[in-house]
C-alpha cells in the first residue's frame, strides 16, 4: 500500500487533536469537516493553519493579506464511492486551466498521463505506429496534489545497466561524465532523474515528438487533444531548458498542425527573445496530387536558445559543388575565381565615371540611378592588378573577381532546407530498411537531417540529448560525429532496434552519413532501465484482452502493487464488476494505482525490500551515477 503524502499525514495529525469530532475509527468525517470549513470554524482553521506544512501549502498572500485557500483544501475531500479522500474534483475537466487559473500560474495541479512517455499511449512517437502499437485509445488524465508531484519526479533506481563497446556487452557498475547513455523508461521521469548530474551541461537538444495530427492517440476530441498535447509538451520542455547549457539550443521538429501552438508555449518557457528561427524542411520531395488543398511537403524545426546573447551558430561546410563554381578562364595566377557585380542601386557623388579597359580601349559607364561600388582611384588599382574581368575578348561589361583562396568561412545556414541537401522521409525509411531488414518505423528521420542540425548547433565533444529517441537516429549521428549523447525511450523495441542500431554503429556500419564523415566504427554507450514498480502493472492492465485476464492482473496487484492511499479496495472490488465495458474497467483500475510509484525511488534503494531486488553491479552503478544521495 502507498504511503500517505506528508500534507495529508499532517492533516490527520491535526484532526486527531479533536478526538472523534472529525475522525471515526481513523476515517475522516468528510461532511463534518467541510461543514465547519464552510462556516469558517475558528478553532478548526486555527489548528490547521498552525501546522507549518498545511500553512505553506494552502495559503497565499493577496494585497499583503494572507488568505486560507479553503476551496482548494476542501477539494481533497471530494470523493467517489470507493475513494476515501480524493483530489479528483477536476478529473473530468481537462484543459490548460485548473481552479480558474492557468496551469503555469498554479502549483496545485498537474496533468498525469499513465501510459507511455508521460506514462501514456498518446506519448507514442510517430515511429511507434508501424510497430503494432495501438493509437486509438483514449488516455487517462488525473489531477495530482502538489506534495505528490514532488515524489513522482524524484530520481529513480536504474537496473540492468550494461556497457556496449567494440568488445561487446558487459555489466556496468560505474558511470563517468564521458559515457554516452541510453535510458529505457518514461521520458519525463527519466529527465528528472538526470537533473542533478546534467543540469546546465547539454549543448543541444533535438526533439521529434508526437505531432498531434489525428494519426496518433491524441485524436480524442479537438479541445481535449490540444490542451492535453500542450500540457504533455510543457512539462518536458521545462525540464529540457534546465538541462541546457547557457549557450545551448533546442531544435523542435514539428508539423504545421501544432507548430504555432508549440511556438507560443515554448516562447513562454524560453522567453520569446530566445526564439531564433523556424526552419522549413522539405520532408517530401514530390508533390502530393491527392491533397485536398495544398501538397504538404514540409515540417518545421523551431530553434530556441537558452540565452540568445550567448548562442553561436556554426557555418555549414562548403561543398565540392560550391567550389566547382569557381573557374579560371584567364589563367589568373591567384587561382579560380567567381565574378561579382561592380554596380549598385542609387546615386552617389563619386560613383559616376568612365571605366576603360587599357588593353582594348573599351569604355563603360553606369546607367542613371546606379553607381560604381568603388571610387575611380580604387577601381583603377583593381584593373591594374588584374582583378577586374572584361570578358574573353576584353569588351564585356567589367566585373570583380572573387577568389576561392579568399573564401575563409563556410556557408551561413538558411531557413529553407531542401530534401536534396538534408534528405527526406523516404530516405529515412530506406536507411531503416537497410539497418533492420524492414520498414521498422513510420517516419524515421534521415541521418543527413541530424548531421546538419548537429553541425550547426554543436561541436565535437559536446553533449546532445534526444528524449523521443525512437530508432536512435540522433544518437547514431552523434556517435559518428564525435558528440556525446543521451537518449530516452520507453517502448520495448529500444532493445531490439534502438540499441541494436547503435551496436552496428560501433561495429562500423556504412549507412547514412558514414562515408561522408569517414566513419570507421568505435565508441561505446551505457544502457540502463528505470526500475519498474507500478509501471509493470500499468502495462499488464493495458494488455488484458478480457475481464478474466484483467481480474487476474488485479489479483496480483492486490498482493504487491502500491495503490492510491485514498482508495477503499473492498468497495472498489465490489464496484469493478458494475462498469459497463472493459475499457471502463481498465481506466478505473489504472486510476487507483499510485502514479508516484511507477518506478522505485533512488532514495529507497537501501530499504530491505528494495535492495534485495537489485543486483550488486546495478547497486554500484546507481551509487556511481548519483553520487552522494542522488537528490537535488
Amino acid at each position: 500500500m502507498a504511503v500517505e503524502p506528508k500534507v495529508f499525514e499532517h492533516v490527520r495529525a491535526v484532526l486527531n487533536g479533536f478526538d472523534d469530532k472529525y475522525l471515526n475509527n481513523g476515517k475522516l468525517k468528510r461532511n463534518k469537516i467541510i461543514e465547519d470549513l464552510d462556516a469558517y470554524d475558528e478553532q478548526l482553521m486555527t489548528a490547521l493553519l498552525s501546522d507549518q506544512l498545511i500553512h505553506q501549502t494552502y495559503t497565499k498572500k493577496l494585497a499583503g493579506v494572507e488568505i486560507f485557500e479553503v476551496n482548494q483544501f476542501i477539494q481533497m475531500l471530494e470523493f467517489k464511492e470507493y475513494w476515501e479522500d480524493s483530489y479528483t474534483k477536476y478529473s473530468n475537466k481537462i484543459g490548460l486551466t485548473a481552479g480558474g487559473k492557468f496551469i503555469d500560474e498554479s502549483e496545485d495541479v498537474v496533468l498525469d498521463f499513465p501510459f507511455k512517455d508521460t506514462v501514456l499511449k498518446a506519448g507514442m512517437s510517430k515511429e511507434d505506429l508501424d510497430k503494432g502499437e495501438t493509437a486509438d485509445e483514449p488516455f487517462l488524465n488525473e489531477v495530482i496534489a502538489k506534495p505528490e508531484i514532488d515524489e513522482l519526479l524524484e530520481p529513480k533506481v536504474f537496473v540492468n545497466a550494461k556497457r556496449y563497446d567494440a568488445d561487446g556487452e558487459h555489466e556496468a557498475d560505474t558511470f563517468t561524465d564521458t559515457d554516452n547513455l541510453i535510458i529505457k523508461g518514461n521520458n519525463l521521469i527519466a529527465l528528472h532523474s538526470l537533473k542533478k548530474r546534467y543540469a546546465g551541461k547539454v549543448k543541444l537538444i533535438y526533439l521529434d515528438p508526437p505531432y498531434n495530427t489525428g494519426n496518433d492517440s491524441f485524436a480524442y476530441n479537438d479541445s481535449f487533444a490540444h490542451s492535453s498535447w500542450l500540457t504533455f509538451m510543457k512539462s518536458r520542455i521545462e525540464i529540457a531548458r534546465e538541462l541546457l547549457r547557457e549557450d545551448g539550443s533546442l531544435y523542435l521538429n514539428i508539423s504545421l498542425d501544432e507548430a504555432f501552438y508549440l511556438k507560443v508555449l515554448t516562447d513562454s518557457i524560453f522567453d520569446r527573445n530566445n526564439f531564433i528561427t523556424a526552419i522549413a524542411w522539405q520532408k517530401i520531395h514530390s508533390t502530393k496530387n491527392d491533397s485536398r488543398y495544398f501538397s504538404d511537403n514540409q515540417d518545421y524545426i523551431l530553434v530556441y536558445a537558452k540565452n540568445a546573447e550567448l548562442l553561436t551558430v556554426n557555418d555549414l561546410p562548403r561543398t565540392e559543388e560550391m567550389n566547382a563554381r569557381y573557374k579560371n578562364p584567364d589563367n589568373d595566377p591567384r587561382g579560380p575565381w567567381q565574378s561579382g557585380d561592380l554596380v549598385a542601386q542609387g546615386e552617389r557623388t563619386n560613383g559616376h565615371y568612365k571605366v576603360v579597359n587599357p588593353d582594348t580601349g573599351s569604355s563603360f559607364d553606369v546607367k542613371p540611378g546606379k553607381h560604381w561600388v568603388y571610387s575611380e582611384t580604387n577601381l583603377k588599382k583593381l584593373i591594374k592588378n588584374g582583378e577586374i574581368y572584361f570578358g574573353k575578348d576584353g569588351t564585356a561589361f567589367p566585373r570583380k573577381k572573387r577568389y576561392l583562396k579568399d573564401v575563409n568561412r563556410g556557408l551561413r545556414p538558411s531557413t529553407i532546407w531542401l530534401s536534396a541537401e538534408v534528405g527526406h522521409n523516404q530516405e529515412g525509411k530506406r536507411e531503416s530498411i537497410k539497418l533492420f531488414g524492414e520498414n521498422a518505423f513510420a517516419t524515421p528521420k534521415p541521418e543527413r537531417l541530424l548531421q546538419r542540425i548537429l553541425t550547426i548547433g554543436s561541436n565535437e565533444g559536446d553533449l546532445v540529448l534526444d528524449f523521443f529517441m525512437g530508432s536512435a537516429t540522433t544518437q547514431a549521428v552523434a556517435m559518428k560525429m564525435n558528440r556525446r549523447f543521451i537518449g530516452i525511450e520507453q517502448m520495448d523495441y529500444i532493445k531490439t532496434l534502438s540499441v541494436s542500431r547503435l551496436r552496428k554503429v560501433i561495429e562500423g556500419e556504412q549507412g547514412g552519413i558514414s562515408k561522408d564523415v569517414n566513419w570507421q566504427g568505435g565508441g561505446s554507450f551505457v544502457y540502463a532501465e528505470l526500475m519498474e514498480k507500478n509501471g509493470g502493472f500499468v502495462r499488464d492492465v493495458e494488455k488484458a484482452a478480457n475481464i478474466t485476464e484483467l481480474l487476474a492482473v488485479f489479483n496480483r496487484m492486490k498482493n504487491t502493487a502500491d495503490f492510491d492511499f485514498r482508495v477503499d479496495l473492498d468497495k472498489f472490488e465490489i464496484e469493478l464488476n458494475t462498469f459497463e465495458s472493459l475499457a471502463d474497467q481498465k481506466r478505473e483500475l489504472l486510476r487507483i494505482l499510485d502514479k508516484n510509484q511507477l518506478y522505485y525511488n533512488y532514495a529507497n534503494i537501501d530499504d530491505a525490500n528494495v535492495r534485495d531486488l537489485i543486483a550488486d553491479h546495478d547497486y554500484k552503478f546507481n551509487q556511481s551515477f548519483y553520487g552522494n544521495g542522488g537528490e537535488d
Side-chain angles (χ1 to χ4, degrees):
M1 298 293 291
V3 178
E4 295 180 357
K6 289 182 180 178
V7 70
F8 206 83
E9 293 177 0
H10 285 231
V11 171
R12 283 189 175 276
V14 170
L15 297 178
N16 271 325
F18 289 86
D19 297 325
D20 60 354
K21 183 176 182 179
Y22 297 117
L23 292 170
N24 180 18
N25 294 325
K27 290 193 175 183
L28 299 182
K29 297 180 180 179
R30 292 177 296 274
N31 292 338
K32 177 59 176 171
I33 299 170
I34 294 173
E35 178 184 332
D36 285 359
L37 287 172
D38 282 338
Y40 288 86
D41 182 280
E42 182 176 354
Q43 188 178 12
L44 175 59
M45 287 189 165
T46 299
L48 289 170
L49 293 177
S50 296
D51 181 275
Q52 183 177 357
L53 180 59
I54 298 173
H55 187 281
Q56 178 182 343
T57 306
Y58 292 104
T59 64
K60 69 177 180 181
K61 281 194 174 182
L62 185 62
V65 177
E66 195 167 64
I67 297 173
F68 181 19
E69 296 181 295
V70 177
N71 288 337
Q72 292 187 18
F73 188 86
I74 290 176
Q75 285 169 22
M76 290 192 300
L77 307 176
E78 298 293 326
F79 69 101
K80 287 190 175 182
E81 179 65 24
Y82 49 83
W83 290 80
E84 180 190 339
D85 299 285
S86 174
Y87 295 106
T88 60
K89 181 176 181 180
Y90 293 108
S91 61
N92 296 316
K93 298 182 180 181
I94 304 304
L96 290 180
T97 64
K101 296 192 296 184
F102 287 105
I103 285 177
D104 65 358
E105 298 173 351
S106 171
E107 293 184 344
D108 301 310
V109 298
V110 66
L111 287 172
D112 173 43
F113 308 92
F115 291 97
K116 192 260 182 187
D117 274 356
T118 95
V119 219
L120 101 151
K121 276 283 187 187
M124 287 191 296
S125 68
K126 300 168 297 307
E127 296 183 347
D128 297 332
L129 298 179
D130 282 356
K131 295 304 298 174
E133 298 294 332
T134 57
D136 57 353
E137 300 180 39
F139 46 92
L140 175 62
N141 296 261
E142 294 188 8
V143 178
I144 295 182
K146 181 65 170 66
E148 294 180 75
I149 300 169
D150 296 334
E151 186 177 353
L152 178 71
L153 300 179
E154 286 183 4
K156 306 304 178 188
V157 174
F158 290 106
V159 292
N160 298 326
K162 296 179 176 63
R163 186 179 303 276
Y164 294 92
D165 56 27
D167 296 323
E169 173 186 318
H170 325 276
E171 290 183 349
D173 57 9
T174 60
F175 189 84
T176 70
D177 288 337
T178 61
D179 281 324
N180 297 312
L181 178 63
I182 300 298
I183 298 175
K184 182 179 188 294
N186 172 268
N187 62 9
L188 178 61
I189 296 174
L191 287 169
H192 281 272
S193 295
L194 297 174
K195 183 177 176 180
K196 180 186 178 185
R197 188 177 190 107
Y198 288 107
K201 294 184 179 180
V202 177
K203 183 64 169 71
L204 184 146
I205 298 175
Y206 170 78
L207 300 181
D208 183 22
Y211 280 11
N212 197 20
T213 60
N215 295 321
D216 51 41
S217 53
F218 283 100
Y220 191 78
N221 64 54
D222 189 60
S223 60
F224 185 78
H226 282 299
S227 62
S228 298
W229 185 84
L230 288 169
T231 304
F232 168 87
M233 292 303 299
K234 176 180 181 290
S235 56
R236 283 152 180 74
I237 294 174
E238 286 174 336
I239 181 62
R241 184 183 182 280
E242 291 188 55
L243 295 174
L244 275 176
R245 280 168 34 177
E246 286 300 309
D247 64 346
S249 54
L250 169 69
Y251 287 72
L252 283 162
N253 203 139
I254 195 70
S255 70
L256 182 61
D257 298 84
E258 292 287 3
F260 302 122
Y261 294 98
L262 183 60
K263 183 183 184 301
V264 172
L265 172 67
T266 312
D267 279 350
S268 70
I269 296 171
F270 272 73
D271 191 290
R272 189 172 180 179
N273 293 329
N274 290 317
F275 171 69
I276 302 302
T277 194
I279 298 163
W281 165 48
Q282 187 186 19
K283 64 179 178 180
I284 298 173
H285 64 285
S286 59
T287 300
K288 295 187 292 184
N289 286 323
D290 58 348
S291 299
R292 183 176 181 183
Y293 300 116
F294 294 86
S295 177
D296 179 16
N297 287 51
Q298 84 283 344
D299 272 355
Y300 293 94
I301 302 174
L302 306 181
V303 184
Y304 283 85
K306 186 170 184 179
N307 185 338
E309 296 298 319
L310 300 177
L311 181 69
T312 57
V313 173
N314 296 326
D315 290 333
L316 295 170
R318 298 185 60 82
T319 65
E320 292 183 6
E321 180 183 0
M322 293 175 188
N323 292 339
R325 296 170 188 162
Y326 288 76
K327 308 293 183 181
N328 197 356
D330 59 349
N331 295 315
D332 191 316
R334 284 160 292 211
W337 50 268
Q338 278 187 319
S339 67
D341 208 339
L342 279 171
V343 177
Q345 295 285 346
E347 298 289 346
R348 199 171 72 180
T349 303
N350 63 346
H352 290 269
Y353 50 85
K354 296 282 186 181
V355 173
V356 179
N357 182 350
D359 296 329
T360 64
S362 300
S363 176
F364 308 91
D365 201 351
V366 293
K367 294 180 180 180
K370 296 185 177 182
H371 67 271
W372 298 108
V373 296
Y374 294 98
S375 68
E376 186 173 7
T377 300
N378 286 336
L379 190 50
K380 285 182 178 179
K381 289 180 180 178
L382 292 171
I383 293 172
K384 184 178 180 180
N385 198 35
E387 296 183 52
I388 302 299
Y389 187 60
F390 291 93
K392 290 183 178 180
D393 60 2
T395 62
F397 196 86
R399 293 178 65 80
K400 172 73 170 66
K401 294 181 181 179
R402 292 179 170 84
Y403 297 95
L404 177 60
K405 69 181 181 63
D406 296 329
V407 178
N408 56 10
R409 61 167 291 173
L411 185 68
R412 180 60 65 189
S414 75
T415 56
I416 298 177
W417 294 2
L418 301 178
S419 60
E421 301 170 356
V422 296
H424 45 75
N425 282 342
Q426 288 302 315
E427 181 174 319
K429 287 184 178 180
R430 288 196 295 268
E431 291 174 356
S432 178
I433 292 171
K434 186 175 180 180
L435 283 165
F436 308 121
E438 59 175 323
N439 185 17
F441 297 93
T443 56
K445 298 298 178 282
E447 288 196 7
R448 287 196 291 161
L449 177 66
L450 272 300
Q451 180 186 25
R452 173 165 290 191
I453 291 172
L454 267 59
T455 297
I456 294 170
S458 68
N459 298 302
E460 290 193 5
D462 284 340
L463 182 60
V464 175
L465 168 64
D466 179 351
F467 50 84
F468 291 99
M469 186 173 74
S471 61
T473 304
T474 303
Q475 291 70 30
V477 172
M479 187 178 289
K480 294 176 183 180
M481 294 180 67
N482 297 315
R483 273 69 168 168
R484 295 181 296 127
F485 61 81
I486 300 173
I488 305 172
E489 177 56 57
Q490 182 162 338
M491 304 303 290
D492 286 339
Y493 64 64
I494 187 174
K495 298 177 182 177
T496 57
L497 296 178
S498 314
V499 168
S500 173
R501 177 181 192 166
L502 295 179
R503 296 187 72 176
K504 290 178 181 179
V505 174
I506 292 174
E507 293 167 0
E509 64 88 7
Q510 290 298 297
I513 67 167
S514 292
K515 289 182 173 60
D516 183 52
V517 299
N518 193 30
W519 178 249
Q520 301 298 317
S524 66
F525 65 94
V526 171
Y527 168 88
E529 302 172 359
L530 299 185
M531 185 180 179
E532 283 192 333
K533 198 174 187 184
N534 277 356
F537 287 116
V538 170
R539 186 168 55 251
D540 291 344
V541 169
E542 289 176 328
K543 291 180 178 178
N546 51 55
I547 183 59
T548 301
E549 292 183 9
L550 189 64
L551 289 176
V553 174
F554 181 42
N555 286 330
R556 287 190 288 108
M557 288 169 59
K558 286 189 292 184
N559 293 326
T560 59
D562 289 271
F563 294 103
D564 192 297
F565 73 96
R566 299 161 284 184
V567 175
D568 185 323
L569 273 183
D570 293 334
K571 290 182 179 179
F572 174 81
E573 191 164 5
I574 293 171
E575 293 198 17
L576 184 61
N577 292 319
T578 68
F579 297 123
E580 295 182 359
S581 68
L582 180 64
D584 289 337
Q585 292 170 326
K586 287 185 176 183
R587 184 176 298 110
E588 291 304 310
L589 195 52
L590 288 173
R591 285 196 55 163
I592 68 171
L593 279 169
D594 183 358
K595 305 312 181 303
N596 288 306
Q597 305 299 328
L598 293 172
Y599 303 98
Y600 284 94
N601 288 342
Y602 177 73
N604 304 123
I605 194 170
D606 287 316
D607 293 354
N609 63 331
V610 180
R611 178 63 184 91
D612 290 345
L613 301 174
I614 302 172
D616 289 343
H617 82 274
D618 282 332
Y619 183 81
K620 292 177 181 177
F621 176 84
N622 281 272
Q623 290 183 313
S624 176
F625 185 88
Y626 286 118
N628 184 23
E631 299 179 3
D632 297 328

